[in-house]
């Protein structure tokens, strides 16, 4: 490919040095190897008398490939300076190296005979292929040695789309250029021709040359290999360019005569313009006066502003006096407020001291009252016992008298009747007891049924209420969704559109420093609508929240929200300084090849919203996973992704590494996509819930009826039990009476008399106890009255203190109002002073602007007229005169033409005429010289072609004679053909045959 220098060394024979490198190709399945052998000199018995020395430029020192064709990595190959052989098994990469040389040095894909497109050389499954070739760059023919050094490294990257990227580096690896033109220049400098078959002969090209029947193809091959074709093409291109240039010269000759006429015409008009000088000089004077008149006018406008600033600064003292006056009043009223407040504090403290005493007295009164009541109860109990004893005493006395007077004895018949009656009554009593037991059991069963029904009634009532609440909730959602057909904001609440209108109005009024952003749920779009419920479960209340830049704006927004939302249902407000840049979360964000994070699933245009969601919810660390099973697998059954602590499923479930929470929502409320589908689904759910309410109401009615029936049965049983109890009581009384009648009359009266005496003694004792209880009761009453007197006195004292505090409180309120009034007046004058100072600042700013204008006008005036001109006229009058003078000048210019334009046109045409004339003259001389040069070049081309043909025949005959062959090579340059005939064998024994016989005829040349 490049020039290799050969020198003859006298008296010495060349030595043979072979360097062999063996490397494994990792991509070859059969484990094949490639070998490179570098041989300096010739081996065998036939050694020349000259040695080959190393070339200086264009030598390929090394080549390496990556992802090229079917090889993942080949090389680097280190080549020697002279002849190099690359040997190896099939598929080891020999052809890949040759192809890479062609492609890496800028050759086309078709020149390799390995494909029609560059992208076909990229290994399957890879995105790009890399080629690196190192060319020697030494000696006097080196290319830019100061930049590249002793080697030029050509690197080329081929993308999967077929795009090439060149990188030309120095020997040290420093990048010098990335342009293809630089590579072409290097190849021309080194005489490297990648498309020349003599430089690089591929297998396909050699087969084509050997097997081609066409003598024209052979001739083309000869022309291309010897660069004669390129010389002929260059000669043809030069002749075509020469013809075009001659035509242009002829056209320029025609244009030159026209330009000469234009120069004559412009020259005549230029000489007739002397009459406008006086008018133009006067116009220039007026312009000078105009610029200084503008300066003087600005100076006059500045003086009133200075006087006003001085007057306004004097008025500032009055505002200071007013502010000091009201500040003194504020301090005075605040002092009074503190004094009255201290007085009220003393009274309050005194009342606070008395309150514990009052409480203690109250508790003492309550204790005394309790003791008094206990003593009264004891008194009444003794009195009742005494009356009962006296009654028993009287009854025993009458009984004794009856016994003493009674002489009748019961007969035996009466005794039997009474016993029979008692037996009958006892049987009845047993029957009633059995009925009572059964009735009590039935009553208990009815009571249990009622309690069970009431529990069921309570449970059904709760379910009915929950269902009604669910219906109401869905009805509100349905109304919001229907309203969102025309206004999407109503999804976030009925009052949200009105709130946003109020925010917009307040922003127009300047109440916000920066307009709040929200609700956040309206500030982004979902990339994956199927994950709407997952995103809503993650962000929750943040979807309704707003962002404020500062706390002042937050207070204004709170005031606006209070008009439309109750205190417990207001949207959240996030306060943070607004920024135009989104946080850089690449280092702390979670990454998963299959599932996105919330940050990746949202399309957010406003950086404020993005930063707020990052700060409040860490959306860059929360994964969104399609199914529950995959979520458990990703988060719990294997190591969670880096930086990811939680995830949400499409069903809204929240998944941590060690726990799992199911979602209570079954549908996205705010982020739903298809409104009509949601409305249909919500109507269906509401109808189901209403049917559930009706079903529950029917069950409630049934249970209430059961309770009523059981209560009726229970009342019936209760009445039956009462009747049984009444009958049983009557029977017991009758049995008792019969048994008492049955007692014998011969009772010992002395026993009854002893019992009477015992009762009388108890009566005497109880009378003493009763008297003692009466005294104790009277004492407790007296003690209670004394305690109540003390409690009332303490309470009156506290009330008196509270009454004293009331006028002080009124006075404190008045003083507080006065303090507020004074502060208002002070604030009023402070605001007035601020407005006054702002006005002064505005005047000063206007004055500064005027000074800048004055400075600019003065600078412009000095540029136009360096010496100041004192002008008494106004700029307006000067401007009127300038316009009038310009009208006169325009009329003169219309008659004669514009002086500057005519002068410019004259010199432009004159210059163009001279340039064109000079160019035509130069081109004509060049074309004459070119004719001579091309004639000599054409002769030299024919001589060179003849010389190359003869030299080619000579080498052809020499090669055949060395092998004992005979042959002919005939060039026909007129018809462009080359015929080659070879006679294999000895002498004339074999006939001349076609050259294809050397390669096995039409077979496959292996």
């Amino acid at each position: 490919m490049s020039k290799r220098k050969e020198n003859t060394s006298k008296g010495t024979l060349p030595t043979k040095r072979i360097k062999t490198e063996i490397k494994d190709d990792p991509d070859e399945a059969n484990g094949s190897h490639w070998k490179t052998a570098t041989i300096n000199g010739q081996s065998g018995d036939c050694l020349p008398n000259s040695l080959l020395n190393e070339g200086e430029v264009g030598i390929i020192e090394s080549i390496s490939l990556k992802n090229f064709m079917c090889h993942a990595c080949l090389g680097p190959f280190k080549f020697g300076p002279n002849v190099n052989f690359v040997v190896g098994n099939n598929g080891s990469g020999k052809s890949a190296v040759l192809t890479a040389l062609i492609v890496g040095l800028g050759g086309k894909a078709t020149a390799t005979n390995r494909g029609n497109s560059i992208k076909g050389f990229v290994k399957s499954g890879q995105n790009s292929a890399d080629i690196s070739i190192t060319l020697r760059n030494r000696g006097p023919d080196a290319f830019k040695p100061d930049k590249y050094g002793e080697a030029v490294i050509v690197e080329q990257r081929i993308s999967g789309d077929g795009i090439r990227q060149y990188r030309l580096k120095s020997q040290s690896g420093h990048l010098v250029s990335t342009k293809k033109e630089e590579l072409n220049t290097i190849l021309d400098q080194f005489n490297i021709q990648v498309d020349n078959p003599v430089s690089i002969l591929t297998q396909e090209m050699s087969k084509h040359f050997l097997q081609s029947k066409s003598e024209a193809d052979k001739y083309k091959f000869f022309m291309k290999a010897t660069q004669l074709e390129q010389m002929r093409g260059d000669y043809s291109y030069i002749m075509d360019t020469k013809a075009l240039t001659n035509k242009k010269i002829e056209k320029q000759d025609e244009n030159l005569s026209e330009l000469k006429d234009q120069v004559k015409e412009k020259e005549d008009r230029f000489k007739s313009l002397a009459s406008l000088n006086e008018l133009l000089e006067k116009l220039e004077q007026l312009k000078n006066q105009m610029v200084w008149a503008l300066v003087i006018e600005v100076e006059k406008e500045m003086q009133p502003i200075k006087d006003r600033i001085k007057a306004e600064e004097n008025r500032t003292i009055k505002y200071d006096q007013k502010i000091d006056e009201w500040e003194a009043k504020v301090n005075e009223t605040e002092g009074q407020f503190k004094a009255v407040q201290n007085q009220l504090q003393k009274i309050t403290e005194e009342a606070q001291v008395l309150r514990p005493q009052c409480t203690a007295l109250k508790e003492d009164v309550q204790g005394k009252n309790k003791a008094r009541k206990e003593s009264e109860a004891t008194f009444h109990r003794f009195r009742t016992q005494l009356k009962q004893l006296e009654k028993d005493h009287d009854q025993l006395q009458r009984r004794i008298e009856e016994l003493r007077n009674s002489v009748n004895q019961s007969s035996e018949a009466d005794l039997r009747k009474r016993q029979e009656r008692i037996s009958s009554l006892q049987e009845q009593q047993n029957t009633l007891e059995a009925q009572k037991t059964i009735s009590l059991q039935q009553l208990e069963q009815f009571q249990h049924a009622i309690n069970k029904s009431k529990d069921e009634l309570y449970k059904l009532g709760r379910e009915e209420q929950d269902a009604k609440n669910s219906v109401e909730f869905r009805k509100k959602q349905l109304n919001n969704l229907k309203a969102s057909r025309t206004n999407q904001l109503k999804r976030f609440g009925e009052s949200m559109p009105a709130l946003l209108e109020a925010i917009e109005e307040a922003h127009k009024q300047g109440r916000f420093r920066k307009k709040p952003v929200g609700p956040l749920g309206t500030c982004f779009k979902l990339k994956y609508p199927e994950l709407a419920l997952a995103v809503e479960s993650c962000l929750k209340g943040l979807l309704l929240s707003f962002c404020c830049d500062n706390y002042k704006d937050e207070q204004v927004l709170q005031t606006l929200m209070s008009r439309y939302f109750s205190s417990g249902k207001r949207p959240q407000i996030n306060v943070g300084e607004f920024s135009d840049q989104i946080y850089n979360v690449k280092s702390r964000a979670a990454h998963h090849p299959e599932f996105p994070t919330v940050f990746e699933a949202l399309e957010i245009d406003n950086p404020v919203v993005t930063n707020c969601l990052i700060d409040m919810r860490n959306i860059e660390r929360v994964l969104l996973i399609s199914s529950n099973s995959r979520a458990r697998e990703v988060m719990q059954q294997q190591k969670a992704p880096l930086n990811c602590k939680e995830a949400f499923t499409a069903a809204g479930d929240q998944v941590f590494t060690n726990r799992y929470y199911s979602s209570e929502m079954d549908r996205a409320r705010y982020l739903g996509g298809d409104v009509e589908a949601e409305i249909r689904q919500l109507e269906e759910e509401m109808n189901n819930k209403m049917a559930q309410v009706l079903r529950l109401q029917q069950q409630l009615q049934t249970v209430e009826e059961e309770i009523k029936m059981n209560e009726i049965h229970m009342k019936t049983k209760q009445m039956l039990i009462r009747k049984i109890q009444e009958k049983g009581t009557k029977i017991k009384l009758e049995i008792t009476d019969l048994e008492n009648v049955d007692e014998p009359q011969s009772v010992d009266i002395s026993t009854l008399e002893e019992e009477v005496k015992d009762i009388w003694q108890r009566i005497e004792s109880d009378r003493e106890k009763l008297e003692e209880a009466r005294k104790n009761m009277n004492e407790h009453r007296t003690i209670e009255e004394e305690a109540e007197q003390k409690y009332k006195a303490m309470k009156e004292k506290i009330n008196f203190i509270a009454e004293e505090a009331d006028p002080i409180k009124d006075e404190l309120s008045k003083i507080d109002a006065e303090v507020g009034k004074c502060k208002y007046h002070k604030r009023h004058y402070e605001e007035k002073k601020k407005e006054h100072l702002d006005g002064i600042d505005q005047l000063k700013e206007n004055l500064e602007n005027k000074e800048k204008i004055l400075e600019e006008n003065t600078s412009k005036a000095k540029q136009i007229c360096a010496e100041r001109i004192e002008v008494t006229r106004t700029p307006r009058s000067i401007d009127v005169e300038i316009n009038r003078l310009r009208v006169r000048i325009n009329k003169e210019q219309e008659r004669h033409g514009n002086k500057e334009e005519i002068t410019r046109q004259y010199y432009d045409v004159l210059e163009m005429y001279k340039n064109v004339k000079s160019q035509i003259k130069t081109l004509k001389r060049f074309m004459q010289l070119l004719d001579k040069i091309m004639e000599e070049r054409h002769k030299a081309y024919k001589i060179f072609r003849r010389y190359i043909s003869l030299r080619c025949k000579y080498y052809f005959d020499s090669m055949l004679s060395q092998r004992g062959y005979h042959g002919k090579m005939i060039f026909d340059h007129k018809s462009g053909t080359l015929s080659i005939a070879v006679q294999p064998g000895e002498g004339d024994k074999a006939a001349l045959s076609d050259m294809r016989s050397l390669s096995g005829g039409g077979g496959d040349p292996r």
Side-chain angles (χ1 to χ4, degrees):
M1 290 176 64
S2 63
K3 299 177 181 177
R4 301 187 185 270
K5 298 182 179 181
E6 300 179 2
N7 296 327
T8 303
S9 178
K10 297 180 180 180
T12 60
L13 290 176
T15 59
K16 179 179 178 183
R17 184 177 72 237
I18 299 177
K19 179 182 178 183
T20 304
E21 298 179 1
I22 300 177
K23 297 183 180 179
D24 292 340
D25 185 354
D27 288 343
E28 293 296 334
N30 57 4
S32 63
H33 304 288
W34 52 262
K35 301 178 182 180
T36 62
T38 302
I39 304 175
N40 292 336
Q42 296 181 5
S43 61
D45 298 332
C46 189
L47 293 175
N49 294 326
S50 62
L51 290 172
L52 296 177
N53 292 336
E54 294 184 2
E56 306 224 358
V57 295
I59 300 297
I60 300 174
E61 293 185 343
S62 67
I63 182 171
S64 63
L65 313 178
K66 182 180 180 182
N67 296 328
F68 188 78
M69 295 178 70
C70 62
H71 304 283
C73 182
L74 278 180
F77 301 144
K78 302 291 184 180
F79 295 115
N82 296 312
V83 179
N84 294 268
F85 295 91
V86 180
V87 297
N89 295 330
N90 289 338
S92 60
K94 303 186 298 299
S95 298
V97 172
L98 186 62
T99 304
L101 283 174
I102 299 173
V103 175
L105 294 178
K108 298 180 181 178
T110 54
T112 65
N113 294 316
R114 290 283 178 169
N116 296 323
S117 176
I118 290 295
K119 63 184 179 181
F121 295 118
V122 180
K123 185 181 179 183
S124 178
Q126 301 296 326
N127 296 325
S128 63
D130 295 310
I131 303 172
S132 178
I133 302 172
T134 304
L135 303 177
R136 182 173 296 176
N137 189 40
R138 302 176 187 170
D141 293 334
F143 181 79
K144 296 181 181 180
D146 55 333
K147 291 185 178 180
Y148 289 95
E150 295 187 353
V152 177
I153 301 174
V154 181
E155 292 183 356
Q156 183 179 155
R157 170 163 288 185
I158 305 171
S159 68
D161 299 329
I163 299 174
R164 293 181 172 187
Q165 294 179 355
Y166 293 94
R167 295 170 64 87
L168 305 179
K169 295 183 178 180
S170 65
Q171 184 182 15
S172 60
H174 177 68
L175 180 65
V176 178
S177 177
T178 59
K179 296 181 178 179
K180 173 74 179 299
E181 292 77 8
E182 181 87 355
L183 177 61
N184 293 335
T185 305
I186 293 172
L187 296 179
D188 290 340
Q189 177 87 4
F190 294 169
N191 194 21
I192 297 175
Q193 304 161 27
V194 294
D195 56 348
N196 191 333
V198 172
S199 296
I200 301 177
L201 182 62
T202 62
Q203 292 179 0
E204 295 297 327
M205 181 61 72
S206 63
K207 290 178 183 179
H208 179 72
F209 175 73
L210 293 173
Q211 296 178 6
S212 175
K213 297 180 180 179
S214 173
E215 295 178 349
D217 289 343
K218 293 184 179 68
Y219 185 79
K220 287 180 182 178
F221 184 87
F222 162 75
M223 294 291 286
K224 189 173 182 180
T226 57
Q227 291 187 298
L228 289 172
E229 184 178 0
Q230 182 178 352
M231 292 174 64
R232 184 170 61 184
D234 292 345
Y235 181 80
S236 300
Y237 173 75
I238 292 171
M239 296 305 293
D240 293 339
T241 306
K242 175 189 168 187
L244 292 174
T245 306
N246 286 329
K247 291 181 181 179
K248 289 183 179 179
I249 291 173
E250 292 174 1
K251 190 174 182 180
Q252 289 294 337
D253 283 334
E254 295 175 0
N255 295 335
L256 187 63
S257 60
E258 296 178 2
L259 279 175
K260 189 174 182 180
D261 296 336
Q262 290 181 12
V263 170
K264 181 64 177 174
E265 181 185 351
K266 298 296 181 184
E267 186 178 4
D268 293 339
R269 292 186 65 187
F270 175 72
K271 293 178 180 179
S272 66
L273 292 176
S275 60
L276 292 175
N277 290 338
E278 293 181 2
L279 293 175
L280 293 173
E281 288 178 1
K282 188 175 181 181
L283 179 63
E284 192 66 26
Q285 292 176 0
L286 288 174
K287 288 181 179 179
N288 295 338
Q289 293 179 10
M290 181 68 177
V291 293
W292 285 109
L294 290 172
V295 172
I296 294 171
E297 185 181 33
V298 174
E299 290 176 347
K300 290 179 180 179
E301 291 177 353
M302 287 172 59
Q303 190 59 40
I305 297 176
K306 292 179 180 178
D307 297 339
R308 189 176 174 189
I309 289 174
K310 187 175 181 181
E312 292 294 333
E313 286 178 346
N314 293 332
R315 289 180 58 194
T316 306
I317 301 173
K318 296 181 181 179
Y319 286 108
D320 292 336
Q321 291 174 352
K322 284 289 185 183
I323 291 171
D324 293 340
E325 178 183 349
W326 283 106
E327 187 175 4
K329 290 183 179 180
V330 168
N331 295 333
E332 182 182 355
T333 51
E334 284 181 346
Q336 294 176 2
F337 181 82
K338 288 180 180 179
V340 176
Q341 192 177 29
N342 292 335
Q343 185 179 358
L344 180 63
Q345 184 67 24
K346 290 180 182 178
I347 295 173
T348 305
E349 290 175 357
E350 185 178 353
Q352 291 293 337
V353 171
L354 294 177
R355 279 198 179 91
Q357 299 178 12
C358 181
T359 304
L361 290 174
K362 183 178 179 181
E363 292 175 354
D364 185 54
V365 169
Q366 290 175 350
K368 298 292 191 294
N369 181 268
K370 184 177 180 181
R372 190 260 305 170
K373 288 181 178 179
E374 289 178 354
S375 63
E376 286 180 350
T378 303
F379 171 74
H380 289 302
R381 187 173 64 255
F382 284 140
R383 188 172 62 181
T384 302
Q385 289 179 0
L386 182 60
K387 288 181 179 179
Q388 185 64 36
L389 289 173
E390 290 176 348
K391 184 178 179 181
D392 292 340
H393 180 270
D394 293 339
Q395 287 179 353
L396 284 173
Q397 287 289 350
R398 287 196 297 272
R399 181 65 176 170
I400 291 171
E401 292 294 328
E402 289 176 357
L403 289 174
R404 286 177 178 174
N405 297 326
S406 177
V407 291
N408 297 325
Q409 296 292 328
S410 298
S411 62
E412 293 180 358
D414 292 335
L415 181 59
R416 282 194 303 272
K417 288 180 180 179
R418 284 197 300 272
Q419 289 176 351
E420 290 175 359
R421 179 61 179 169
I422 288 171
S423 298
S424 175
L425 290 173
Q426 286 177 347
E427 290 178 0
Q428 293 180 13
Q429 187 177 13
N430 293 334
T431 303
L432 290 174
E433 285 294 333
Q435 291 179 358
K436 181 180 178 182
T437 301
I438 294 170
S439 297
L440 285 174
Q441 290 176 355
Q442 292 176 350
L443 182 65
E444 185 177 356
Q445 291 175 356
F446 287 129
Q447 185 65 45
H448 178 70
I450 290 171
N451 292 336
K452 184 177 179 181
S453 298
K454 285 183 177 180
D455 292 340
E456 186 178 359
L457 184 68
Y458 175 76
K459 182 179 178 181
L460 291 173
R462 289 291 300 274
E463 291 181 2
E464 181 195 19
Q465 189 61 40
D466 292 342
K468 287 181 178 179
N469 294 338
S470 179
V471 170
E472 291 298 322
F473 177 72
R474 282 171 170 76
K475 190 179 291 183
K476 289 181 180 179
Q477 281 188 317
L478 185 61
N479 293 334
N480 291 340
L481 284 174
K482 288 181 178 179
S484 67
R485 288 171 172 170
T486 56
N487 190 344
Q488 190 70 16
L489 290 172
K490 288 194 175 180
R491 270 199 170 199
F492 297 86
E494 285 290 335
S495 304
M496 192 61 72
L499 174 61
L500 291 180
E501 290 178 3
I503 291 173
E504 184 66 31
E505 186 66 26
H507 180 60
K508 290 180 180 178
Q509 296 172 0
R511 296 174 63 186
F512 292 111
R513 293 180 184 174
K514 291 185 180 180
K515 182 181 176 182
V517 178
L520 298 187
T522 64
C523 299
F524 58 79
K525 295 180 180 178
L526 294 174
K527 294 181 181 178
Y528 312 102
E530 65 274 10
L531 298 176
L533 181 57
V535 174
E536 191 166 315
S537 299
C538 175
L539 300 182
K540 296 180 180 176
L542 285 175
L543 295 173
L544 299 173
S545 67
F546 286 75
C547 294
C548 285
D549 178 69
N550 52 79
Y551 285 100
K552 181 181 177 182
D553 290 351
E554 187 257 348
Q555 292 176 357
V556 176
L557 184 57
Q558 285 281 14
T559 304
L560 295 177
M561 284 184 177
S562 63
R563 301 178 189 174
Y564 306 101
F565 297 95
S566 58
S567 59
K569 297 183 179 180
R570 294 180 190 172
Q572 177 181 331
I573 300 177
N574 312 305
V575 182
E577 185 177 357
F578 287 0
S579 173
D580 296 332
Q581 299 294 327
I582 298 176
Y583 296 154
N584 186 2
V585 296
K586 290 184 179 179
S587 60
R588 65 174 187 266
H591 298 284
H592 193 276
E594 186 177 354
F595 305 111
T597 61
V598 179
F599 179 80
E600 295 168 341
L602 302 181
E603 293 182 0
I604 309 175
D605 297 329
N606 194 337
V608 174
V609 178
T610 306
N611 294 339
C612 177
L613 295 179
I614 291 172
D615 288 333
M616 302 299 294
R617 195 60 186 85
N618 291 327
I619 59 173
E620 77 281 7
R621 299 185 176 187
V622 182
L623 283 179
L624 299 177
I625 301 177
S626 57
S627 65
N628 299 350
S629 58
R630 288 286 289 134
R632 292 182 184 272
E633 180 182 345
V634 171
M635 295 297 295
Q636 296 178 350
Q637 297 177 6
Q638 60 189 22
K639 186 177 180 180
L642 183 64
N643 296 329
C644 179
K645 301 299 181 184
E646 61 177 314
F648 285 87
T649 68
D653 296 348
Q654 188 176 15
V655 187
F656 292 92
T657 55
N658 56 355
R659 54 192 186 279
Y660 188 101
Y661 298 106
S662 298
S663 174
E664 297 178 356
M665 298 188 296
D666 56 355
R667 182 182 63 258
R669 179 178 178 185
Y670 304 111
L671 303 179
D674 190 352
V675 177
E676 296 299 329
E678 289 189 35
I679 289 175
R680 289 193 298 271
Q681 184 179 358
L682 205 57
E683 287 178 343
E684 184 179 353
E685 291 178 1
M686 193 170 70
N687 292 334
N688 293 337
K689 286 293 181 182
M690 291 178 68
Q692 183 182 358
V693 170
L694 291 174
R695 186 171 63 256
L696 290 172
Q697 287 177 347
Q698 292 175 357
Q699 292 179 0
L700 281 171
Q701 186 176 0
T702 302
V703 173
E704 286 175 351
E705 290 176 356
E706 289 179 359
I707 291 173
K708 288 180 181 179
M709 290 297 297
N710 288 329
E711 285 179 346
I712 291 171
H713 290 313
M714 189 175 70
K715 288 180 180 179
T716 303
K717 290 298 177 182
Q718 287 175 347
M719 292 175 63
L720 178 61
I721 289 171
R722 281 198 295 271
K723 289 180 180 179
I724 291 172
Q725 287 176 345
E726 289 175 358
K727 288 181 180 180
T729 303
K730 289 180 180 179
I731 291 172
K732 283 182 180 180
L733 291 174
E734 188 175 354
I735 290 173
T736 302
D737 291 339
L738 290 172
E739 287 177 349
N740 290 335
V741 170
D742 191 48
E743 290 178 357
Q745 295 295 323
S746 60
V747 178
D748 191 0
I749 296 175
S750 61
T751 304
L752 295 177
E753 289 177 346
E754 288 177 0
E755 187 174 353
V756 168
K757 288 180 182 180
D758 182 56
I759 290 173
W760 180 255
Q761 290 176 358
R762 288 169 60 189
I763 289 172
E764 291 294 333
S765 174
D766 285 349
R767 283 176 179 173
E768 292 177 359
K769 291 180 180 179
L770 180 63
E771 191 63 28
E772 186 178 353
R774 181 182 285 109
K775 290 179 181 180
N776 190 19
M777 181 182 65
N778 292 332
E779 288 177 0
H780 280 92
R781 284 179 178 175
T782 303
I783 293 170
E784 183 185 9
E785 289 175 358
E786 292 175 356
E788 284 183 354
Q789 290 295 330
K790 291 179 181 179
Y791 172 67
K792 288 179 181 179
M794 182 61 68
K795 195 171 182 181
E796 288 176 357
K797 187 174 181 181
I798 292 173
N799 292 335
F800 178 74
I801 293 172
E803 290 174 358
E804 284 183 349
D806 289 339
I808 297 175
K809 290 180 180 179
D810 295 338
E811 184 180 0
L812 189 65
S813 299
K814 291 178 181 179
I815 295 173
D816 186 37
E818 186 66 23
V819 170
K821 181 180 177 182
C822 294
K823 287 183 177 179
Y824 168 77
H825 285 291
K826 178 188 173 186
R827 188 166 57 252
H828 170 72
Y829 283 107
E830 286 176 347
E831 292 175 355
K832 286 288 185 182
K833 179 183 176 182
K834 185 177 181 301
E835 293 175 1
H836 175 70
L837 294 176
D838 291 341
I840 294 175
D841 293 339
Q842 185 67 35
L843 290 173
K844 289 181 178 179
E845 185 178 352
N846 292 338
L847 182 61
E848 289 177 1
N849 293 334
K850 292 290 184 184
E851 289 176 349
K852 290 179 181 178
I853 295 172
L854 176 62
E855 185 179 353
E856 292 176 0
N857 290 345
T858 304
S859 176
K860 291 178 182 178
K862 287 181 178 180
Q863 291 176 1
I864 297 172
C865 180
E867 186 177 355
R868 183 183 175 99
I869 302 174
E870 295 298 332
V871 184
T872 57
R873 297 173 61 184
T874 63
R876 182 177 180 79
S877 64
I878 297 173
D879 186 57
V880 171
E881 187 173 354
I882 288 173
N883 292 332
R884 187 167 59 250
L885 189 59
R886 279 177 176 165
V887 171
R888 287 185 60 190
I889 292 172
N890 290 334
K891 289 180 179 179
E892 291 293 327
Q893 287 179 343
E894 288 176 1
R895 190 163 60 90
H896 297 287
N898 185 277
K899 179 182 177 181
E900 295 178 356
E901 183 66 22
I902 291 173
T903 302
R904 185 185 61 79
Q905 290 179 359
Y906 169 67
Y907 285 109
D908 288 347
V909 172
L910 183 61
E911 183 70 21
M912 186 185 297
Y913 173 75
K914 291 179 180 179
N915 291 336
V916 172
K917 187 176 181 181
S918 175
Q919 289 175 2
I920 291 174
K921 188 176 181 181
T922 304
L923 281 173
K924 285 182 178 179
R925 286 199 302 267
F926 174 74
M927 294 307 294
Q928 293 173 359
L929 180 62
L930 184 62
D931 287 338
K932 294 179 181 179
I933 293 172
M934 292 308 296
E935 185 177 354
E936 293 175 357
R937 284 292 181 97
H938 188 62
K939 291 178 181 178
Y941 167 75
K942 290 182 177 180
I943 293 170
F944 181 70
R945 185 178 64 185
R946 182 171 176 275
Y947 169 74
I948 290 293
S949 301
L950 292 174
R951 189 178 179 183
C952 187
K953 287 181 179 180
Y954 170 74
Y955 282 119
F956 178 73
D957 293 339
S958 298
M959 292 294 291
L960 290 180
S961 65
Q962 288 179 9
R963 290 164 175 75
Y965 289 1
H966 298 278
K968 292 182 180 180
M969 179 180 285
I970 301 172
F971 289 91
D972 187 352
H973 296 297
K974 291 183 179 180
S975 60
T977 60
L978 170 60
S979 62
I980 300 174
V982 179
Q983 180 181 1
E986 298 179 357
D988 297 330
K989 293 181 180 180
L992 292 174
S993 62
D994 191 87
M995 185 181 60
R996 287 177 296 168
S997 61
L998 299 177
S999 62
D1004 184 14
R1006 296 183 181 272

